[in-house]
Amino acid sequence: MVYKEYGNTGIKVSAVGFGGMRFDEDDIRSGRLEKCAEIPLYAFENGINYWDTAPFYCEDKSESVIGIALSQVPRGKVYVTSKTNFGTIGKGSNPTKEDFRARLEKSLKRLKTDYVDFYHMWCMMSLESWKKHMEALYGFFEEAQKDGLIKNIVFSSHMQGDEITEVVNTGKFKGMLIGYNALNYRFRQSGIKAAYENGMGVVVMNPLGGGMIPQNQESFAYLAEGTQLSVPQAALRFVASHREITVALAGCTTKAHVDDAVKAVENLEILPVDDVIAKFEGKGISLNDLCTGCGYCKGCPMDIPIPKFMDSYNQKILTGKDDAIDERMFMHWDIIPSVAATCIECANCEAQCTQHLPIIERLREIGEHKDPA
Ligand code: SF4
Ligand code: SF4
C-alpha cells in the first residue's frame, strides 16, 4: 500500500480509503453488522488505514459497523471520520451547540471510541450554505476539538473549484472531502490545487462518478490503456495518482472490492494534477458532447449556474435516462429547473463554451422539468 501525508497534520494515510457507505444491503437490513465489519477489517489487513463513515449511511448503520471493526484494531492505527450538518440534527437551521455535541457523542458511542480523527462539516452545497454552517457550527467544532473529541476539523463539499478555493483560503480546515473523478475533474481541479498549496489533506469520494464510469466502460477505456487494470480500477488509480489528492475512497461491499482497490494503487505513480490530466487530455474522444466543467461560460446575466446544469445534463447523455438529470440537479447540486428556465437566450455562454455545447437548447429542455415539491 502507498501512504501519503495528510496535508500538514503529520498523519500518514493510505492512498485508498475505505468508504463505509456500501455495506451489503441484506446484511444491513438483517442486522448482521458483525459480518459487515469483516470488510473494513479485511481492508485494514491490506493496509487501508483511513475509514470514512457518517450518520445515515447504510440505513444509519454504517457508524455502528465501523465501530465494531474499530474496536478490534489498535485505535491509533486507523483514522476514522464522521460528519455533521444541520441535516443530522433535524431541527431546521437553528440547532444549538448542545444539539451538535449530542450528535457527536452519539457518533462516538456508535464508533466505540473517544475521538474522531477527521470530523466533517458535511455536504456544503454552496457558499451560502457553508457560511450559515460556519456561523452556527464552527464554534462547536473548535470546542469539541479542545475537549479532545475530534482531532481535525474538515469539510465536505459539492461546490465547484473557485468556491472550494474560497473556503480553503479561510485557513479554517485541515482537509476536505470532495467528489472528483475522470468525468468531472475540471469542476474541482483549482480547488484541489488550492487545498494542496494550503497544506490541506484532500480526500476524494465518488472516484467512479457515481457508477457512471463502470456503467460506460467503453467511454472510459482510455484510462486503462497500457495497464492490466479494469476500467473501474484505472478510474480509481487516476484519482489516487494525483499528488494533490491524499486519499481516494473506495466504497466496498465485499472483500473482492477491497482487493480491487488495493490492486488499483499497486506501484502507484504520483504526479502533479497538470501532468495527470495531460496524460489523458483529449483521449476521451467519445465524450465530446459532455460538459467538462471548465467554467469558461462565466458571467451569465441571469446568474444561471451553467456548468452545474450542464453537468446534470451529462448524466442523461451517459445513462440515456431523462430522470438522471433531475437526480443530479436535486441530490448533487441543489439546483432547480425553474432557474434554468430564466435563460434569456443571449448566447454569451455558447460563444465561450469550450465544448461548443448547445447550452440554450439544453437549458430549455431542463427548464421544462418540474421543480421538486
Ligand atoms: S444564453 Fe442563457 S444561460 Fe447563456 S449566458 Fe445568456 S442567459 Fe445565461
Ligand atoms: S464552457 Fe461549456 S464545457 Fe465549459 S463548463 Fe461551460 S458549458 Fe461546460
Side-chain angles (χ1 to χ4, degrees):
M1 176 56 62
V2 174
Y3 294 87
K4 296 184 179 179
E5 297 264 350
Y6 189 104
N8 61 14
T9 61
I11 293 171
K12 283 205 164 185
V13 286
S14 45
V16 284
F18 182 85
M21 75 299 278
R22 302 236 186 285
F23 290 114
D24 184 272
E25 285 177 16
D26 284 344
D27 287 338
I28 287 288
R29 281 199 200 111
S30 313
R32 292 188 288 268
L33 304 192
E34 298 273 351
K35 186 168 172 231
C36 294
E38 289 171 13
I39 311 302
L41 286 170
Y42 182 71
F44 178 71
E45 282 166 27
N46 283 278
I48 295 176
N49 69 354
Y50 186 97
W51 295 357
D52 183 75
T53 183
F56 308 142
Y57 283 178
C58 301
E59 302 191 1
D60 208 19
K61 300 284 189 342
S62 174
E63 286 185 319
S64 301
V65 172
I66 291 289
I68 292 167
L70 195 61
S71 64
Q72 296 177 52
V73 297
R75 178 64 186 88
K77 299 271 187 199
V78 168
Y79 299 97
V80 72
T81 80
S82 193
K83 310 184 180 83
T84 195
N85 59 14
F86 294 151
T88 62
I89 308 298
K91 282 193 179 174
S93 56
N94 290 314
T96 62
K97 281 185 187 172
E98 290 71 33
D99 293 327
F100 283 113
R101 182 68 156 227
R103 174 79 246 185
L104 171 57
E105 283 168 358
K106 188 171 176 182
S107 289
L108 290 171
K109 196 167 172 210
R110 289 168 162 189
L111 290 165
K112 299 182 191 286
T113 184
D114 299 333
Y115 65 91
V116 172
D117 296 279
F118 296 96
Y119 201 49
H120 294 77
M121 192 178 283
W122 190 11
C123 200
M124 300 295 104
M125 297 285 243
S126 64
L127 280 175
E128 198 191 357
S129 150
W130 169 72
K131 281 173 188 158
K132 280 189 198 150
H133 278 85
M134 281 302 277
E135 272 173 37
L137 240 125
Y138 196 78
F140 148 75
F141 270 84
E142 285 182 310
E143 277 175 28
Q145 188 178 37
K146 201 159 67 143
D147 295 343
L149 304 184
I150 61 181
K151 298 290 184 195
N152 295 284
I153 302 172
V154 295
F155 73 96
S156 78
S157 168
H158 289 299
M159 289 183 275
Q160 278 180 246
D162 49 353
E163 297 165 323
I164 290 172
T165 302
E166 195 170 328
V167 177
V168 163
N169 287 341
T170 63
K172 297 276 189 194
F173 299 93
K174 285 286 182 190
M176 66 180 188
L177 170 65
I178 56 160
Y180 186 92
N181 50 59
L183 181 59
N184 75 1
Y185 60 85
R186 280 214 184 85
F187 281 99
R188 306 211 166 100
Q189 230 172 301
S190 58
I192 65 167
K193 279 187 188 173
Y196 179 77
E197 281 157 16
N198 278 275
M200 284 171 57
V202 176
V203 180
V204 162
M205 58 185 156
N206 212 1
L208 305 187
M212 208 65 72
I213 294 173
Q215 285 156 23
N216 297 276
Q217 299 209 12
E218 265 179 41
S219 300
F220 295 95
Y222 65 94
L223 291 169
E225 262 170 31
T227 75
Q228 301 294 314
L229 301 174
S230 64
V231 172
Q233 284 171 337
L236 187 61
R237 188 180 185 88
F238 165 83
V239 172
S241 63
H242 286 62
R243 177 190 64 185
E244 292 79 358
I245 292 171
T246 323
V247 179
L249 290 180
C252 299
T253 309
T254 63
K255 290 182 180 176
H257 292 156
V258 174
D259 292 338
D260 276 346
V262 171
K263 181 157 186 228
V265 294
E266 265 172 16
N267 305 316
L268 185 67
E269 186 187 19
I270 297 169
L271 296 169
V273 53
D274 292 336
D275 294 357
V276 179
I277 301 308
K279 259 172 74 178
F280 297 107
E281 196 75 348
K283 290 198 175 170
I285 42 171
S286 55
L287 306 180
N288 280 349
D289 285 342
L290 297 179
C291 167
T292 61
C294 66
Y296 278 87
C297 51
K298 279 191 178 139
C300 167
M302 303 306 289
D303 279 334
I304 296 172
I306 301 165
K308 292 180 181 175
F309 280 111
M310 292 303 105
D311 174 69
S312 303
Y313 200 89
N314 280 352
Q315 314 307 308
K316 173 179 170 176
I317 296 171
L318 287 163
T319 62
K321 291 180 190 153
D322 205 41
D323 55 9
I325 303 178
D326 292 343
E327 197 182 323
R328 190 72 168 176
M329 282 195 291
F330 308 151
M331 307 303 289
H332 187 88
W333 290 119
D334 200 16
I335 51 176
I336 51 176
S338 55
V339 172
T342 62
C343 171
I344 55 170
E345 309 197 357
C346 69
N348 283 350
C349 55
E350 291 194 355
Q352 299 172 86
C353 181
T354 53
Q355 292 283 91
H356 307 290
L357 300 179
I359 298 174
I360 295 173
E361 191 186 310
R362 289 184 184 180
L363 286 176
R364 221 182 277 143
E365 183 182 331
I366 294 171
E368 283 168 11
H369 285 220
K370 280 205 182 93
D371 285 352

